[in-house]
Amino acid sequence: MPDIIRLQWQRLRGSLWFLPTGMAAMAAALAFILVGIDRSAPTEWLLKQAWVYSGGADGASAVLQTIAGSMITIAGVVFSLTLVALTLASSQFGPRLLRNFMRDTTNQVVLGTFVSTFLYCLLVLRTIRHDTEALFVPHLSVTFGLVFALASLWVLIYFIHHVSTSIQADSVIARVAHDLTDAINAQFPLVRSITDTAASDQRVDATWLREKSDGSLPLAASRAGYLQWIDLDRLTALAESRDLVLQGQRRVGQYLIEGGAVLLVQPGHRLDDDLTTRLRDCFRLGDQRSDLQDVEFAVHQLVEVAVRALSPGINDPFTAISCVDRLGAALGRLATRPMPSGVHLGGTREVRLVMPVSDFEGVADAAFNQIRQYARTDVAVTLRLLEVIAQVAAVADRSGDRDTLRHHADRILAGAEGALPDTSDRETVRRRHAVAVRAVHRGEVPTLT
């Protein structure tokens, strides 16, 4: 699925109206279809079926009115419970995690079930005729209304269970960690493409970039916002068709001010109004970040949960430790993946586009820095951070990745030395730091003591 379609799909998934609206439309269509069957099918044959509603017009009206009134009442209760869950999630885990609750398919299906049943009953109810000359009772449609009511009762029971489990810290962390894993798999595949392998062999260093910057002009952002998505293939094609070299100035996830430089276009004299419009169409800016091409966004969500758990008002180191474990698993996965070069070649194998990309160092900084700062006085979280570094170091093959892990291990030790008042706690941290350092240099995890 193209990234732009995935981005639009994420926006629809994150809304509480899209899926319920679709379900309501299907319920309306089903109501018209079943009423049509009731009008065309012989009444005598329908009444002979044991499972079909066989009451009169008054009874059918009473049944549908009862179901419709109950469904709209329960829908209000479901909406209230959803708001309570969102409020609790916002206060405990942070407002940026609300998108995970809003795009929860279960919540949307539950809300859509009650709204759809209500609409179905209303549409069927309007077709019942009480006059003797034009008596009409949609027996089959009323039967399906009863079936939908029973299904809605089961959905309500399941919804209560789902809400009680979805706001638990472990469930929230697991969902965010799953999103982080998906983002890593999408942006850092196990096997690099032939194009990316060829691009990584091109010599693109600081000197080359400075040379290509001569005579270039910046492409200014048309509005302020977070950079959510970049169409790299289209940018490369545009650069080749106009014989340009483009240098990205901001990567996905960073904030752009209006008029800020998005690209450097070389040679700059070819940047006309038409090209400016076409280049800007390759970028999507929004009011919030997206994990579509932004691994660090999911990392920051886990970090936010951990930092809130370590605040004096909550003081929940166990939740912070769970976040550290998930971050360690993500870094371990990332350490085994080849890093993208950010260099994109045209059809003639010439460099056409150079974009800044996320790498292991950037993701590790996003994962460890804030937690390390807030966990300086918490022995348990500090020790778990060092354990995670040792585990990731055991699978890290690149020397640069191990250097990054050693840097964070040293910073964690320095913070604990200055913040922990107890001598024995500091000594425990020193021993655990030594274990992490040995793992960094030997590529193995010694037995913890």
Side-chain angles (χ1 to χ4, degrees), residues 34-71:
L34 292 178
V35 169
I37 295 175
D38 275 311
R39 292 185 186 277
S40 59
T43 304
E44 295 78 10
W45 179 83
L46 286 175
L47 294 178
K48 289 180 181 179
Q49 309 303 315
W51 54 275
V52 175
Y53 173 80
S54 58
D58 293 337
S61 297
V63 169
L64 293 177
Q65 289 174 6
T66 301
I67 295 174
S70 301
M71 290 303 105

Side-chain angles (χ1 to χ4, degrees), residues 215-274:
S216 63
L217 286 179
L219 174 71
S222 59
R223 52 162 292 194
Y226 288 100
L227 187 54
Q228 296 180 332
W229 166 79
I230 304 174
D231 192 339
L232 300 173
D233 294 336
R234 188 178 176 188
L235 279 175
T236 305
L238 280 173
E240 185 170 22
S241 65
R242 300 292 186 95
D243 193 20
L244 303 172
V245 176
L246 305 178
Q247 298 181 44
Q249 300 301 294
R250 308 292 283 177
R251 58 180 173 80
V252 175
Q254 293 182 323
Y255 192 82
L256 282 166
I257 63 173
E258 184 176 356
V262 183
L263 288 172
L264 287 182
V265 181
Q266 196 274 339
H269 65 83
R270 296 178 183 170
L271 186 62
D272 53 21
D273 293 339
D274 176 66

